[in-house]
Structure formats: C-alpha cells, structure tokens
Amino acid sequence: MSISRRKALQLLAAAAAYPSTKQGMIRADRLGGVKENAALREIHAPGITIGLTPLGKIEQLKLGTEGIEVAFRASTVLVDCKVKAAGAPEVSADGGVEFTNEWVHRVSGASCRVVERFTPAGSSIRWDLEIAGAGAPWSTAIQTRMAWPKVAAAKFWTACDRGPGKDANWKDPLMPFAFGEVKLRYGSYIDEPNGFCLPLLAVLQNETDNALSFVQSPESLLLDMQLTTSAGGDVVLSRKNHRICSGAAVRFAMDLVPHEADWRSGLGWMTKRYPGYFHPPAEKVYALDGCGAYSAYQGELDCGKLRKMEFQVNWNAHFDFPFHGMMIPPVTRDTVWNSWYGKPASLARMSGYDTQMKRDGFDVLEYFVLTECGNYISHEKPERKARADDDLWLDADDYIYYAIPEAVMRKRTGEIQYSNWFDNVVVDPAEPVWRDALIGQIQRLIRELPDAAGVCIDRTDWLTLYNERRDDGVSWVNGRAARSLLVSWAETGSQVAALLHQAGKFVYVNPLVRRVDTYSFVDGLYDEYGDLPGMLNLTAFLAVYKPAIGWTRDADSLRPDPDAFFQRHLHLGVFPMAPYPDADHSIGPDPWAEKYFVEYGPLLGAMRGKRWVLEPHVISVAGDRACVNLFRVRGGYAIPVTFARSGEVTVILGKVVDDAPTEAVVLWPGGEEVKLQGDRTSGGLEFRVPVKRGCGMLQLRLPPPSKPAAV
C-alpha cells in the first residue's frame, strides 16, 4: 500500500523526533524506500554491538563477549523540531556509518543539517554529532535521549552530589542507585545544588556483570547542560544555548563504552581517554597535599601541632591588595600602599610572609580572581581622580570606570552587574584590557613572590553568566549572540596557568561551578562549600587524581558526629581545613576540635598524594558492612575503611594488587597501629580489618621498584 509524500514526511518526523518504539520503526519502514525494520545496520567494537535504523537511531544493544542483548534505545532530538528530509546512510572505510538528516524548527521555520557518525573506536563506539544551520542564527535544546525499559535489572550511576530523593544528609556517591525522578545540572551551583560534575552516565547490570557508560567528551564545547532521568528508565542529556548557524557547526563527541558492572571501569576509561582533564598539569603539586587554612594570620605558629593535624597550605586571606582584583599592583618591590584592610602593604612584605611559611615547612597560595574587580564601586560614573593613567590603580572607581570599563559585565538594562561581596563588579576575563592586566599581575607575582607556591582562584560562580555585549562565536542567548564566561575563563585562565606552571608554581581553584571540563589547567581544588555533603562529593570526583581541600566552616562542622566528618573526607580522598589562627569564615583554634584533628592526623597523612584506583571490581567489603575506597599512594596503597557496622570487616582487593605487600598495617583514630596478614584467594587479596569508632586506614606497603641492572 502506498502513502502520500506529505504523510510520509509527517511519519518520518514523528519517528525521528522522539525515542523510537517498535511501532515507530515499522512505520518508518514504509517511508519512500527508507527501511527501518529488522534490517538494522550493526556497528561492532570489542564487547559492544549496536543496531542502527536508517535514521541513525540506536534500536539494539549487545554487550560482552557473549553478545548479551540489552533493552536499550537512543537517539538525537532537537527540541521543537522535526525531520524534513533524510539522506541515505553512508558507510566509511573504518567500519562506521554516517547519517544525514535535515531538521526544521516547528515555530520559526529555521532549518539545519544534522550529521551523525557511529564509528568503532578501539574499546568504544564513537558517536559524533554535527549540526550546521542553513541561515540566520537560532538555538534549541540539543538532546541525547536514551531508554532502559527493563529498569528492575539495572542500576544507574553518575558523579552527582547525591542520588534520588530530598534527603540533605550525606550519601555515599560511590554507590549506584535505582532509576528515579532526577534532574541534575552540569556544574551544580550553590543556588541550584542538585548536579553532576562528570559527563558520564553508567547503567549497570549486576546479574550479567555488564554495563554501558555513555561518555560525553569534555573536549566538546559544553555551555549549559542538564541531565534528567525517570523511574521508568528514561535518560535525557540536554544541551542549551548553542548557536546553530551557517558559519560554524555545533559539534559533540560521545562514546558508548562497554565494561563490567562497576562504575569505576567507566570512569577509568574516561580518565585514560581524556587524561588532561583529570591529572594535574604540574605533578609536583602533591607536595601541597594536606589540610588547609584560609587566614590572614602572619605571626608565630605552633608548627608541631599543625603537623600533627596534617596542615600543609594556607590560602592567603591577608588581602594585601588595595582593592579586589588588584592583587599584585604595578609597583616596585618596596612601594607601600594601603591594603584592603587599611594597613601598610608592599610586595616585599608579601614575599616575606611566603618565605617565613616556607621555612616552617608550609606553603602559601596567593589569592587571585579573574571575574571580579573593585570594592564599593559607585553606581554612577564619578569624576576621574588620577592625573596619569599609570595611577588609575590607586582608586577602585578610577580603575573600573577609566582603566577597564569594557570588561565590566552589565545586565540587559545596561546596569552594572555587581557582586554580592562589598559592591565588587563582575568582569569578563576575556576582555583584552582586563586579560592583559591579569597576565601582568601574574608576571609580577612570579617575579616578586618567589616563595609563593602559586595561586588559588576565587569566584568561579560567575562563570554561569553570559556577556551579551560580546560574541564568542558559539553562544546564542535570549535571541542574540553572547560570550559565555566559561569560554572567557578557558581562554584567559589557561594563559594564566601556563605562566605559573612555567615558573614552577601551582594553580588551585575554588570550584563554585563543579564541572570537569572547566578545570583542565588547574592543579588542585579548594572548595569553599566543601562542608556541604553534596558539594564535597562533587569535588571529590573532580579530584580523583588531584589534591583537594574541603572547607571546614567552624568547630560545629564536626558536630554532632566528629567521626562521621573525618570519615567522609577519608572515604573521598579530600582533606579538610584544620584549625588555624585568625581564620576567615573557617575553623579557628578550638581545643575540642583540635583533639579530633590530631587523632585523625595519621589517617589523613596516609592518603597524601592519593590517586583513585579505577579498575573494575577492585575493592569490596564482605556483606557491605562498611564503606571502602582504594587509593594509590607513594609506596603502596591506602584503603580507608569507614562507617563500619561491626568491629571487624573483611576487605577484598581485586587482582590489581599483584605485588605481595612487604607490610600491611591498619591505623586507627588516635594513632594506634597494628600489622595485618592478608590471604590470597582466587578473587584477589583479603584482609580481616579490625576497626575502631567505625574506622581504620589499611595501608599496603609495596616493595620499592627494582633498580635497572648496571650496564
């Protein structure tokens, strides 16, 4: 039976615009020679086979060496759009298939060409998406929709702040959870905390020990992205504010990765495929690993007590700058100015503090910011005070209105975008006049503060904004071109980091927007909201191979359960802030709190230089009677056993630990230590670990690497 072309196109649009069903496939089979029935085109890679319809939708999935068929569907959807025409699939020499479809927006009539390529890529199937407009710029949400109809047999995992539900208490982020009604924003902001920080989604099927991870490449330009799931197994990854135009295509690269039913395997694949987003650019940064402080104090320290608490680095809150954003003024070494606190400051005094801390065995990160400038800035442009341009830095109003006015962020009404901190203004770090000023400050820091370990960059929360007076060539917001501050941050931040790295210094960041693609040039994380359980979880995943410090707001942060506070940090490999004199909105000296820091100090010290071990089934606890993680550290492994529900737990290590440890010990809070003996089994290495206060740090010390024989 034949149908009209108009009817055919209507059916074709319906089939392409939504996750397909068997009924949709049968109807598409009858459209003008395009066959969408059982003749699925298969793409193979080790451990995975997908079946594709002629429209480029995934309707079949087989996993594992035995080709176990899994109920799964996936497709690309442009919201409020429909397919206008479909091209014939093209086969490439590398075993891939390319699909080209023309889409049209239902309301505006704007159109675009959508090209999807599925290619075997070693241990995955690569899914490339390219969208090119045909006329004036426009935008719509670009979605990857997936469906797992048999949810009862599956668990879901992503690097999120917590699983389904409204419980604000801490939840172990290492545990997969059942499909549920979840909405997560990529980045997780303070005013919108439910989020995920790694563009990786894993569905695990324990009965058959297979899983599929969907990995959105962090190399793709990602603006605003949201993940939603349903209790019925629907998964939607939605990307917004991308400009669809004829000048440049929107491109996303994704991978379908088969692996064992352990999320570690999928994340391990991602870290190997995209190492630049996980490993610190400066490997020596692990020397800064330890507890932190945020303090203006520059007097004598009780170094012995601080070492017992594993303190290592102070993010300098002395605020020597004359105003926010002018961190290193353009002056000679001995020139004195009034600091933000109204006290005499100079580069020589700043350098002296860094040297003093270095002599004590500690490190200093200087305060730095890319997205804010000024303090108490006038709402109306004032008269200029400085006679010479070189003196504009002496006054915050002068600097904002007469030195860097082009960099100031403004609302659509033209009003200045003020900060929530002492009437600072928000600035665009990619604006040349401000970018050059930042680079000049970094060059002076390198020259004048030789003993500073580096910088910690604050106020990344403004990266969510768009500068609608500028054009980055990729963003489209409120019907007009704009520049995302994420793009600005990447451009200028990478230049700042390159200068510091060349000088042997490090870059930390306060990750107020938590997304892995944003911090590729960053060496470590210093999370101002790490005292919030969900934020701590996200920072931990950003730092699987990087140092990280989580905020300790005050002694009450340890209450009502100090053991739980420390065990969360041990479990996730994140150091807390330690009690420190004159601390700024963070924990100060407190005998009660210091007692716990000293007791847990040896356990924290055991995880210095930690790197998560991301291999499948590498660690477990018999009966799930405790939380457990596995870190590679210098000389062996550190295994925090936390939140134990009995006095002894059996820890089972997978075959990743091939060498026989020369020594195995467990550390308890309070500094006690006892040697253990492991048992080799077919599954790996087992230890019966006694715990105290629900905790023990199991250390496996391996023999040193054998030296090459002398020639």
Side-chain angles (χ1 to χ4, degrees):
M1 182 177 68
S2 63
I3 59 177
S4 69
R5 176 155 180 82
R6 180 179 180 183
K7 181 64 174 176
L9 289 174
Q10 291 175 344
L11 293 173
L12 180 60
Y18 300 95
S20 36
T21 62
K22 289 293 182 181
Q23 182 183 9
M25 284 168 48
I26 294 171
R27 289 185 176 183
D29 176 38
R30 305 178 63 181
L31 299 181
V34 178
K35 295 187 177 181
E36 290 250 327
N37 56 8
L40 297 177
R41 191 176 298 275
E42 292 190 342
I43 306 290
H44 306 274
I48 183 171
T49 298
I50 61 172
L52 296 161
T53 74
L55 292 179
K57 296 177 293 182
I58 301 173
E59 291 284 358
Q60 182 186 76
L61 173 65
K62 298 177 183 178
L63 295 176
T65 56
E66 298 179 358
I68 299 172
E69 190 156 354
V70 178
F72 172 73
R73 300 190 303 272
S75 63
T76 296
V77 172
L78 273 59
V79 172
D80 293 328
C81 297
K82 60 182 180 180
V83 171
K84 182 179 179 181
E90 296 184 7
V91 179
S92 59
D94 56 8
V97 182
E98 179 177 296
F99 303 85
T100 302
N101 298 319
E102 184 180 349
W103 291 66
V104 63
H105 193 265
R106 287 188 173 90
V107 178
S108 68
S111 64
C112 61
R113 181 175 58 89
V114 177
V115 179
E116 297 183 78
R117 303 179 189 89
F118 298 86
T119 312
S123 57
S124 71
I125 291 178
R126 187 76 160 183
W127 183 354
D128 289 293
L129 173 63
E130 180 180 297
I131 303 171
W138 60 288
S139 186
T140 191
I142 302 166
Q143 297 183 341
T144 300
R145 294 188 181 183
M146 295 168 277
W148 298 80
K150 297 183 179 179
V151 294
K155 293 285 188 179
F156 184 79
W157 185 88
T158 189
C160 62
D161 48 1
R162 53 186 178 266
K166 298 180 180 180
D167 184 1
N169 295 325
W170 181 77
K171 293 184 180 179
D172 184 359
L174 276 57
M175 299 301 294
F177 45 87
F179 275 95
E181 305 296 328
V182 173
K183 181 183 291 186
L184 303 172
R185 187 172 184 178
Y186 183 49
S188 184
Y189 314 139
I190 298 306
D191 58 350
E192 191 176 341
N194 295 335
F196 67 116
C197 63
L198 306 178
L200 179 152
L201 327 170
V203 178
L204 317 171
Q205 300 198 140
N206 291 321
E207 289 185 6
T208 55
D209 192 23
N210 59 49
L212 180 74
S213 280
F214 172 89
V215 179
Q216 162 67 65
S217 169
E219 293 176 346
S220 301
L221 176 64
L222 303 172
L223 298 174
D224 289 280
M225 189 161 68
Q226 188 178 75
L227 169 68
T228 58
T229 68
S230 75
D234 297 310
V235 179
V236 179
L237 192 68
S238 186
R239 313 161 188 89
K240 298 180 180 179
N241 296 333
H242 291 269
R243 189 182 315 178
I244 301 172
C245 62
S246 57
V250 179
R251 293 185 176 89
F252 300 108
M254 304 157 280
D255 278 274
L256 301 170
V257 184
H259 55 86
E260 299 87 344
D262 187 338
W263 60 267
R264 290 177 183 267
S265 187
L267 180 52
W269 181 95
M270 188 178 185
T271 65
K272 293 171 185 174
R273 176 62 180 80
Y274 303 105
Y277 293 88
F278 293 92
H279 293 273
E283 284 287 327
K284 292 183 179 180
V285 71
Y286 293 108
L288 274 63
D289 230 0
C291 294
Y294 184 64
S295 171
Y297 183 76
Q298 298 193 356
E300 294 295 321
L301 293 170
D302 186 341
C303 298
K305 181 171 68 175
L306 287 171
R307 290 190 184 98
K308 289 180 181 178
M309 296 189 293
E310 287 301 316
F311 170 78
Q312 185 56 48
V313 59
N314 182 36
W315 180 8
N316 191 359
H318 198 252
F319 296 170
D320 296 287
F321 44 74
F323 54 83
H324 201 56
M326 183 52 64
M327 287 73 64
I328 315 291
V331 296
T332 60
R333 180 174 178 81
D334 294 316
T335 299
V336 177
W337 67 84
N338 284 327
S339 76
W340 192 79
Y341 283 130
K343 298 178 180 180
S346 70
L347 297 177
R349 293 184 183 186
M350 293 173 68
S351 181
Y353 169 66
D354 297 337
T355 301
Q356 168 194 323
M357 288 288 282
K358 189 173 183 178
R359 282 198 301 261
D360 287 340
F362 305 127
D363 296 289
V364 176
L365 294 169
E366 298 293 350
Y367 187 95
F368 211 75
V369 65
L370 305 187
T371 54
E372 281 190 355
C373 192
N375 292 114
Y376 306 112
I377 298 302
S378 300
H379 286 244
E380 299 293 335
K381 185 176 181 179
E383 291 187 11
R384 174 171 164 155
K385 303 177 186 66
R387 293 184 178 182
D389 289 350
D390 288 346
D391 293 334
L392 288 171
W393 71 271
L394 291 168
D395 180 84
D397 271 341
D398 267 4
Y399 196 74
I400 292 298
Y401 282 102
Y402 296 99
I404 61 165
E406 300 93 340
V408 175
M409 291 284 290
R410 294 181 179 272
K411 301 176 183 178
R412 296 193 71 183
T413 58
E415 297 174 283
I416 288 177
Q417 175 74 59
Y418 282 88
S419 168
N420 55 0
W421 197 68
F422 299 105
D423 285 335
N424 307 343
V425 300
V426 183
V427 287
D428 183 342
E431 196 62 29
V433 65
W434 178 234
R435 178 198 61 211
D436 293 346
L438 290 169
I439 290 173
Q441 293 190 57
I442 288 294
Q443 291 170 333
R444 291 192 292 275
L445 184 151
I446 292 168
R447 183 174 63 249
E448 303 294 347
L449 308 182
D451 288 330
V455 302
C456 185
I457 304 175
D458 199 9
R459 296 315 303 248
T460 55
D461 46 328
W462 299 119
L463 302 186
T464 63
L465 297 183
Y466 289 85
N467 186 347
E468 296 192 35
R469 297 187 300 143
R470 295 293 183 264
D471 182 0
D472 59 17
V474 295
S475 302
W476 194 254
V477 182
N478 297 323
R480 65 171 69 180
R483 181 159 70 200
S484 166
L485 291 202
L486 288 166
V487 175
S488 299
W489 161 270
E491 292 177 358
T492 299
S494 59
Q495 295 179 55
V496 164
L499 290 171
L500 289 162
H501 290 148
Q502 290 167 13
K505 298 187 183 298
F506 309 115
V507 180
Y508 273 62
V509 71
N510 182 4
L512 301 178
V513 173
R514 295 163 177 81
R515 36 186 289 169
V516 72
D517 58 315
T518 305
Y519 304 123
S520 61
F521 52 80
V522 166
D523 301 299
L525 291 305
Y526 212 125
D527 188 355
E528 185 181 4
Y529 289 89
D531 56 327
L532 302 179
M535 301 299 101
L536 181 69
N537 289 350
L538 294 174
T539 291
F541 287 121
L542 294 177
V544 292
Y545 299 143
K546 293 182 178 183
I549 298 171
W551 216 256
T552 310
R553 207 150 298 271
D554 49 33
D556 286 341
S557 298
L558 279 64
R559 295 185 172 96
D561 188 348
D563 292 313
F565 170 85
F566 285 99
Q567 290 176 35
R568 283 197 299 271
H569 287 80
L570 291 171
H571 182 57
L572 297 173
V574 177
F575 285 89
M577 296 174 78
Y580 195 89
D582 199 16
D584 189 317
H585 73 288
S586 53
I587 187 168
D590 182 284
W592 175 81
E594 288 169 2
K595 177 176 75 75
Y596 288 100
F597 273 90
V598 170
E599 289 178 345
Y600 274 91
L603 284 73
L604 292 167
M607 68 180 194
R608 282 184 181 254
K610 66 92 183 60
R611 296 171 175 85
W612 290 41
V613 178
L614 298 173
E615 301 291 339
H617 306 315
V618 70
I619 191 161
S620 61
V621 173
D624 293 327
R625 300 188 66 82
C627 295
V628 68
N629 207 343
L630 176 62
F631 306 132
R632 191 72 164 90
V633 295
R634 186 176 181 180
Y637 294 91
I639 305 164
V641 181
T642 55
F643 300 100
R645 292 176 288 281
S646 61
E648 182 180 88
V649 297
T650 299
V651 175
I652 306 163
L653 294 170
K655 295 182 180 180
V656 70
V657 184
D658 294 325
D659 297 326
T662 57
E663 187 177 33
V665 301
V666 61
L667 304 176
W668 294 310
E672 297 177 81
E673 176 181 310
V674 64
K675 292 185 178 180
L676 297 181
Q677 184 67 43
D679 297 321
R680 286 282 176 185
T681 69
S682 59
L685 187 60
E686 291 188 5
F687 288 92
R688 298 178 66 183
V689 180
V691 297
K692 292 188 177 182
R693 290 154 61 177
C695 180
M697 175 65 83
L698 177 60
Q699 289 183 292
L700 303 185
R701 297 161 186 169
L702 301 181
S706 57
K707 296 181 179 179
V711 178

